């Protein structure tokens, strides 16, 4: 009798598992089309975050803001990243419940115009509004307006920068399939903010407002592609919608949880912070990744100082030097591919959970990358920053730093996504909080640090910090299984899986 009562439910669940509209069953072409479009938007969002750093002094002078005693010219980046730290704290966990397409499409419009009540059915009618996404930044008539608009942009931009990491597990069921998409995500995530100063260097000689006009043109051109390509990816959301017209799926849909809105909002706000401050894995990996991400922004302040003083580089030329970081990141992306393969092969030697890759197998490349690439690159950059040393020498050191940044953030992203599964959105939001807070506030001290300590010891201080933070992956490599075994969230995620 009990078996008979479960028959219809099992049949409904089986129908859903085999349904062609289940995102796990989509054709590979459709999955990659969505991933690549989202990746492109992540890259473009990053440009908006840092492109203002190259013309920062020009903007400050235009609005009569002085940098004499404090780097006020960096406030447009600080408020952007502060917004990006807060936005994912709420937005990413909400995606765990409400779905990707609705949140992503609404956020994409809100990112530009600041209105939350837009709905999907009117998106096509708002094409002109979308193309005006950066107009408030381009036409700001005072510094306060610019800061407010960029804080709003950053709050939603932070969600956009992290959404692909949650999309990948929704459309690919195995670690093997998810590895490349998440690696691509990390690459475009760091590439966008790294290349922002390069964009600023290319166009700001015309007018600092053209930094935003160029973005306006690019973002507007992307709108039709985004509208036509982005689809809902979260299985429960798709199932609920299909069940309204397909009775064979009704039983499976009825089994879905329906939590109250207030409890969802409360959990969305508190869970990332709870993970950050109670989970050692999340805390230390966030600290490590946040320092790396913050370095990209610190270099937007350090490079102009060093290359202007030592080599008389202009603001534009200094902005182009940032390309060296991106070259290192590109090499790091290539290096992550065999690292991903090594992780998958670790399944053969997993004695505690046979057939499942060992999470700590994500870390081997990141440990030498942290010691040699991050710390070593910073020391190289530090002690080659002299006028009598050719400018290419410290630039090579920056490329090593870029390599390490890519490898480390990729290791953290993949480790978090695999370990926390059901709570990946909240864990990602916690990491994003740390990354963006470091990126927002650390660079404010960069100019005074480099002025007070000198170019050599300022960069060396960062190198010593990098050496200390390398303890995080070393300890996880050594005792990661024990640490994970004590995590309530990881244990629950495994039970759900």
């Amino acid at each position: 009798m009990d078996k008979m009562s479960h028959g219809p439910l099992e049949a409904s669940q089986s129908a859903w598992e085999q349904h062609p509209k289940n995102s796990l069953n989509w054709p590979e072409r459709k999955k990659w089309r969505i991933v690549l479009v989202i990746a492109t938007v992540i890259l473009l969002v990053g440009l908006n975050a840092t492109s203002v750093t190259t013309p920062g002094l020009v903007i400050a002078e235009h609005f009569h803001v002085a940098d004499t005693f404090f780097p006020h010219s960096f406030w447009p980046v600080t408020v952007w990243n502060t917004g990006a730290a807060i936005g994912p704290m709420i937005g990413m966990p909400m995606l765990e419940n409400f779905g990707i397409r609705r949140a992503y499409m609404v956020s994409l419009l809100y990112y530009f115009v600041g209105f939350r009540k837009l709905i999907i059915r009117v998106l096509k009618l708002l094409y002109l509004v979308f193309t005006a996404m950066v107009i408030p930044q381009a036409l700001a008539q005072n510094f306060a307006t610019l800061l407010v608009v960029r804080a709003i942009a950053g709050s939603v931009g932070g969600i956009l920068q992290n959404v692909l990491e949650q999309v990948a597990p929704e459309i690919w069921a195995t670690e093997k399939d998810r590895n490349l998409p998440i690696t691509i995500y990390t690459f475009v995530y760091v590439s966008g903010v790294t290349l922002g100063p390069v964009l600023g260097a290319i166009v700001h000689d015309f007018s600092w407002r053209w930094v935003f006009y160029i973005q306006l043109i690019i973002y507007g051109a992307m709108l039709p592609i985004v509208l036509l390509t982005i689809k809902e990816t979260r299985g429960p959301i798709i199932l609920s919608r299909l069940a309204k017209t397909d009775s064979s799926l009704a039983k499976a849909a009825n089994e879905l949880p329906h939590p109250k809105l207030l409890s969802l909002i409360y959990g969305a706000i508190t869970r990332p912070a709870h993970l950050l401050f109670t989970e050692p894995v999340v805390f230390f990996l966030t600290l490590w990744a946040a320092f790396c991400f913050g370095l990209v922004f610190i270099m937007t302040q350090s490079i102009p100082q060093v290359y202007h003083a030592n080599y008389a580089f202009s603001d534009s030329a200094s902005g182009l030097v940032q390309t060296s970081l991106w070259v290192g990141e590109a090499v790091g992306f290539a290096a992550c591919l065999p690292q991903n393969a090594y992780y998958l092969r670790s399944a053969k030697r997993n004695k505690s959970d046979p057939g499942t890759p060992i999470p700590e197998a994500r870390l081997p490349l990141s440990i030498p990358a942290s010691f040699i690439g991050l710390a070593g690159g910073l020391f190289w950059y530090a002690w080659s920053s002299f006028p009598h040393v050719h400018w290419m020498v410290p630039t090579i050191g920056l490329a090593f730093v870029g390599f390490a940044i890519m490898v480390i953030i990729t290791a953290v992203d993949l480790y978090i996504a695999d370990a926390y599964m059901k709570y990946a959105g909240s864990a990602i939001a916690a990491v994003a909080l740390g990354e963006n807070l470091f990126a927002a506030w650390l660079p404010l001290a960069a100019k005074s640090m480099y002025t007070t300590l000198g170019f050599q010891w300022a960069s060396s201080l960062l190198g010593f910090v990098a050496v200390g933070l390398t303890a995080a992956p070393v300890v996880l490599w050594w005792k990661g299984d024990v640490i994970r075994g004590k995590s309530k969230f990881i244990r629950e995620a495994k039970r759900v899986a």
Side-chain angles (χ1 to χ4, degrees), residues 75-89:
W75 279 116
V77 181
T78 295
V79 297
W80 197 102
N81 279 302
T82 302
I86 297 171
M89 287 284 288

Side-chain angles (χ1 to χ4, degrees), residues 349-434:
R349 60 178 189 274
N350 191 343
K351 297 179 180 179
S352 61
D353 191 3
T356 302
I358 302 170
E360 285 69 39
R362 296 287 192 191
L363 303 175
L365 180 61
S366 66
I367 295 174
S370 191
F371 267 123
I372 300 172
L374 193 63
L378 285 167
F379 288 128
W380 183 328
Y381 174 63
W383 295 102
S384 60
S385 296
F386 292 99
H388 64 271
V389 178
H390 193 277
W391 65 269
M392 275 299 299
V393 179
T395 304
I396 293 172
L398 290 173
F400 275 91
V401 173
F403 172 87
I405 289 171
M406 174 62 198
V407 171
I408 291 168
I409 294 180
T410 299
V412 171
D413 288 338
L414 289 169
Y415 193 102
I416 290 291
D418 289 340
Y420 287 89
M421 293 176 286
K422 178 179 183 294
Y423 300 107
S426 296
I428 291 167
V431 175
L433 173 67

Side-chain angles (χ1 to χ4, degrees), residues 67-68 78 96 182 186 237 263 270 300 349 363 407 452 484 491:
D67 264 14
T68 307
T78 295
E96 293 173 355
I182 295 182
T186 307
I237 306 299
S263 66
T270 60
T300 66
R349 60 178 189 274
L363 303 175
V407 171
T452 304
R484 286 185 289 105
R491 291 198 304 269

Side-chain angles (χ1 to χ4, degrees), residues 93-139:
M94 294 296 277
L95 294 183
E96 293 173 355
N97 301 285
F98 292 133
I100 295 295
R101 184 174 190 266
R102 180 175 298 176
Y104 192 80
M105 297 303 295
V106 172
S107 294
L108 189 58
L109 284 170
Y110 174 55
Y111 171 73
F112 298 115
V113 298
F115 293 102
R116 261 289 203 211
K117 296 182 179 179
L118 298 173
I119 54 178
I120 294 174
R121 73 179 91 179
V122 300
L123 290 180
K124 293 182 180 180
L125 300 177
L126 295 172
Y127 175 78
L128 293 177
V129 177
F130 178 86
T131 58
M133 56 190 174
V134 290
I135 286 180
Q137 297 176 63
L139 299 182

Side-chain angles (χ1 to χ4, degrees), residues 13 57 59 62 69 91 100 143 148 176 197 313 342 381 417 489:
Q13 290 174 335
L57 292 177
I59 294 173
H62 178 84
F69 301 106
I100 295 295
F143 201 57
V148 170
K176 180 180 179 180
F313 275 27
Y342 172 82
Y381 174 63
F489 284 95

Side-chain angles (χ1 to χ4, degrees), residues 32 52 57 78 155 174 181 192 197 274 329 350 434 463 488:
W32 277 106
V52 297
L57 292 177
T78 295
S155 66
T174 67
H274 186 67
E329 291 163 4
N350 191 343
K488 179 186 72 174

